[in-house]
Amino acid sequence: MEQNLFVYNTLTRKKEAFEPLNAPHVGMYVCGPTVYSDAHMGNARTYISFDLIFRYLTHIGYKVRYVRNITDAGHLEGDADEGEDKISKKAKLAQLEPMEIVQKYTVGFRDVMRILNTLPPSIEPTATGHIIEQIELVKVILAKGYAYEVNGSVYFDVEKYNHNNDYGTLSGRNLDDMLNNTRTLGGQDEKRGKLDFALWIKAKPEHLMKWPSPWGIGFPGWHLECSAMSNKYLGEQFDIHGGGIDLVPTHHTNEIAQNEASCGKNPAKYWVHTNMLTVNGQKMSKSLGNSFLPDELFTGNNHILTKAYSPMTVRFFMLQTHYSSTLDFSNDAMEASEKGFKRLMNAFALVDGLKVSAQSDVDVSTIEKGCYTAMNDDFNSPVLIAELFELSKIINSVHDGKTSIDDKNYQMIKNIIQHFVVDVLGLVNEQAANDELPNVMDFVINLRTEAKTNKDYATSDKIRIGLQQIGFQLKDSKDGTTWSKI
C-alpha cells in the first residue's frame, strides 16, 4: 500500500493518486453481464481488465471487496426503456422459463471467465435477488421529489434533477446537447421529459418476469439494480466503479443520478472504463458480421481468424493493450501475441535450472522497480509485459552461460515471476500444465474401465460425457480406450 498508484478517472478526465475512502479496504463495483446470450469478447476484455485491477490491488496489500452483478431481469432491448425484456424474449422464443435462460447463460459466462483464469468476484448479486432493495430505492427517490408515477410506472425526472446537479458530469455533455440529440416524445409516451428514464415499469399481462410493488405489478428499470446493489454491499460511496465505455452515456450516467437523488453522493470516487473492440480496424459488431465468441476463438471455429488460440494466449493478447485503449483483433496481432507468450513462458520455465554464482552481472531490482512503476501508472500492463521480456533476456543469458547471477538476484527473478506473471497478470504456462495431461487422462480412463467392468454404466457414461463437454473425445476399441482433443 506504499505504492504510488495513479488511476485515470473518467469523472475528472485525468489521472489521480489512488487514495481509498477507508484504507486498507477497497470497494469495487463492476457492471456484470445480462445473461440472455453467450459471453462475448467485450465481456472477456472488460472482466480480464478488472481482474488485473483486482489482482494488483490485492497484491499491494489492499483488502478488496469486488462486487460484479448478474443482470437477470429488467434490461430491455432499447436503452430508452423500449422493446421487450431481453431474457423474457429469449425464453419465449426457446419455450423455456426465464430462469432456465438465466441459468444456462450464467453458467456459460462463469465457464468462460474460469477458462480465461479470472478470479471470481467477492460477491456476485443478481437483479432478481434484490427486488426489495430496488423498490425501497424507488420509494426514496420519489420521496425526494426526483421521480413521478404514471399508471403504475415510475420515471426519473432528469430535468428537475439537473436544476441542482449536473446530469452530464460523467459523459461531459450538457443537458441542452443531450435534449437536442434525443427523439421527441410520442403521443403515447408517459414520460414528462425526453431524457427521463424508468425506475419501475408496469408489466403488461404477457410479461413473464414481474413482481408486486406499491405502484402495481411490474419490474425494475435496468439502471436501478446497480445503484441498489452497490449501495447494499459497498455503501453509499465506494472507491471504484467500472464497466465498458459504452455504459458511460446512459447506464452509468443514470446510476449517478439515482444515487445523488437518493443520498446526495456520487457513488464512486473513481470511475474506470474499458475501451471498445475492433477487428482489422473495424468496430466489432454482429451487424457487420465480424464478431466472434470466446469459444469460437479457442476452437478456431470462426471465419475471421485463420486458426485457434489458447485461452492464455487470448488473455496475454488482451493484456498487451492498455485497458483504456481500443483493442484490435487481427491474424497478425494474434500470431505475434502467441509467439511472444510462448517466448516468455519458455524463458520462465528455465528458471529452476539456472546456475547461481557468487557474483552477479545484472541488477534485477531495476526490473522489479519497472514492474511496479508500470502497474502504478494506471495499471499499465503493456509496459509491465515489456519489463518481463527484459527479464526473459536475462534468464536466457544466464541459462546460456553468458551472464552470472548471485542468489539474491536469482530469488528476485523467482519473486517477479510469481508476483507479476502469476499473481497480477494471471498467466499460466499452458504447456507445463499439459505435460501432466496424459497421466491424468490415463487415470480417468482407468476409472471408467473399472466402472464398465463392474457394470456401472451410469458412471462410465458420466465420465465419457463429462470429458466430451470439456473438449476430450474417448474412442473405445478391442485394444482399449484412447483419447484425443476435440
Side-chain angles (χ1 to χ4, degrees):
M1 287 182 295
E2 295 178 1
Q3 299 299 325
N4 193 21
L5 173 61
F6 281 78
V7 178
Y8 182 82
N9 191 348
T10 306
L11 189 66
T12 60
R13 294 160 190 79
K14 63 182 180 181
K15 289 181 185 177
E16 298 177 349
F18 184 66
E19 298 173 352
L21 296 167
N22 187 31
H25 301 280
V26 170
M28 181 168 77
Y29 188 95
V30 177
C31 290
T34 301
V35 284
Y36 74 104
S37 62
D38 292 310
H40 54 72
M41 293 307 302
N43 294 142
R45 201 276 170 97
T46 293
Y47 303 128
I48 284 175
S49 298
F50 284 101
D51 183 61
L52 174 76
I53 292 171
F54 181 33
R55 286 170 176 272
Y56 186 64
L57 291 174
T58 301
H59 170 68
I60 59 176
Y62 289 111
K63 300 181 185 301
V64 186
R65 177 177 289 173
Y66 174 15
V67 182
R68 186 182 68 208
N69 68 299
I70 295 288
T71 297
D72 57 355
H75 195 169
L76 302 185
E77 294 173 290
D79 284 347
D81 305 320
E82 298 171 331
E84 289 188 69
D85 178 286
K86 293 183 177 184
I87 292 165
S88 292
K89 182 176 181 179
K90 191 68 172 270
K92 288 176 184 176
L93 290 172
Q95 295 184 317
L96 296 171
E97 283 290 328
M99 283 299 127
E100 288 182 273
I101 298 297
V102 167
Q103 179 71 4
K104 174 183 177 180
Y105 291 114
T106 299
V107 169
F109 167 72
R110 289 172 178 160
D111 283 345
V112 170
M113 292 299 102
R114 175 183 51 78
I115 290 168
L116 288 167
N117 200 33
T118 67
L119 299 174
S122 314
I123 304 173
E124 196 171 37
T126 64
T128 56
H130 295 77
I131 297 297
I132 293 173
E133 289 84 353
Q134 293 178 77
I135 289 173
E136 291 302 310
L137 181 57
V138 176
K139 289 180 182 178
V140 172
I141 296 173
L142 276 168
K144 295 289 182 71
Y146 289 112
Y148 54 93
E149 186 263 336
V150 181
N151 297 327
S153 294
V154 181
Y155 299 99
F156 190 94
D157 192 329
V158 170
E159 291 185 60
K160 184 173 182 180
Y161 165 80
N162 197 65
H163 288 159
N164 300 313
N165 304 274
D166 181 5
Y167 179 67
T169 185
L170 187 66
S171 65
R173 301 167 65 198
N174 65 54
L175 192 70
D176 288 338
D177 288 341
M178 286 187 270
L179 286 169
N180 290 333
N181 289 300
T182 304
R183 66 171 179 80
T184 302
L185 291 173
Q188 301 301 312
D189 205 315
E190 299 173 331
K191 299 176 185 177
R192 295 175 184 170
K194 292 196 290 183
L195 295 174
D196 293 358
F197 58 91
L199 299 175
W200 187 264
I201 303 170
K202 180 181 180 180
K204 296 177 181 178
E206 66 272 17
H207 196 88
L208 297 179
M209 304 176 79
K210 49 195 173 188
W211 294 265
S213 79
W215 315 285
I217 302 296
F219 56 96
W222 172 40
H223 316 296
L224 192 66
E225 63 177 281
C226 290
S227 290
M229 291 189 282
S230 66
N231 190 302
K232 177 170 183 174
Y233 296 111
L234 298 175
E236 293 179 348
Q237 195 168 41
F238 48 93
D239 299 296
I240 297 172
H241 196 315
I245 198 167
D246 58 307
L247 298 179
V248 170
T250 305
H251 186 57
H252 285 171
T253 288
N254 289 347
E255 272 192 70
I256 291 174
Q258 289 168 164
N259 281 64
E260 289 191 334
S262 60
C263 65
K265 297 176 182 177
N266 187 312
K269 187 174 180 181
Y270 305 92
W271 286 83
V272 179
H273 293 94
T274 56
N275 213 322
M276 63 186 290
L277 303 181
T278 57
V279 179
N280 297 317
Q282 267 194 317
K283 182 179 179 181
M284 181 183 284
S285 108
K286 288 182 180 179
S287 62
L288 294 174
N290 67 349
S291 66
F292 46 83
L293 300 173
D295 284 346
E296 294 170 338
L297 189 55
F298 304 152
T299 62
N301 185 27
N302 68 81
H303 65 283
I304 306 295
L305 303 177
T306 57
K307 57 179 281 189
Y309 292 94
S310 72
M312 283 301 100
T313 298
V314 173
R315 184 179 175 101
F316 181 72
F317 167 72
M318 289 187 170
L319 292 171
Q320 281 188 294
T321 299
H322 191 266
Y323 73 84
S324 66
S325 299
T326 301
L327 177 67
D328 185 56
F329 282 88
S330 70
N331 283 302
D332 289 345
M334 291 299 301
E335 286 276 6
S337 281
E338 184 177 59
K339 290 175 182 176
F341 178 62
K342 287 180 179 177
R343 193 161 71 247
L344 273 185
M345 292 299 110
N346 289 340
F348 297 152
L350 300 174
V351 171
D352 286 343
L354 293 182
K355 180 182 177 182
V356 177
S357 306
Q359 302 294 324
S360 184
D361 299 332
V362 292
D363 181 7
V364 180
S365 67
T366 59
I367 289 179
E368 183 181 54
K369 182 179 179 182
C371 291
Y372 280 108
T373 299
M375 287 302 293
N376 288 334
D377 181 18
D378 194 27
F379 312 104
N380 201 324
S381 56
V383 175
L384 168 60
I385 289 170
E387 292 286 347
L388 294 174
F389 274 113
E390 291 301 314
L391 183 65
S392 73
K393 292 178 184 177
I394 293 174
I395 293 169
N396 286 323
S397 184
V398 174
H399 178 261
D400 293 340
K402 299 175 181 178
T403 301
S404 298
I405 56 166
D406 58 14
D407 186 64
K408 178 182 176 182
N409 280 279
Y410 175 67
Q411 294 302 326
M412 199 171 294
I413 288 174
K414 296 183 77 171
N415 286 338
I416 291 171
I417 293 171
Q418 179 62 47
H419 293 159
F420 288 98
V421 179
V422 178
D423 296 344
V424 173
L425 293 176
L427 296 171
V428 176
N429 188 341
E430 290 166 315
Q431 185 56 50
N434 287 338
D435 288 344
E436 296 300 323
L437 186 58
N439 293 332
V440 173
M441 290 300 293
D442 286 346
F443 176 73
V444 175
I445 288 171
N446 287 337
L447 287 179
R448 179 170 175 265
T449 302
E450 184 179 319
K452 289 175 70 177
T453 301
N454 295 332
K455 297 185 178 181
D456 184 1
Y457 299 116
T459 299
S460 170
D461 288 343
K462 187 175 182 180
I463 292 172
R464 177 181 56 80
I465 294 168
L467 287 173
Q468 190 172 35
Q469 288 174 340
I470 60 173
F472 295 94
Q473 184 77 49
L474 297 184
K475 185 177 181 180
D476 295 319
S477 71
K478 62 180 182 179
D479 298 320
T481 302
T482 58
W483 62 273
S484 61
K485 292 196 72 174
I486 299 172

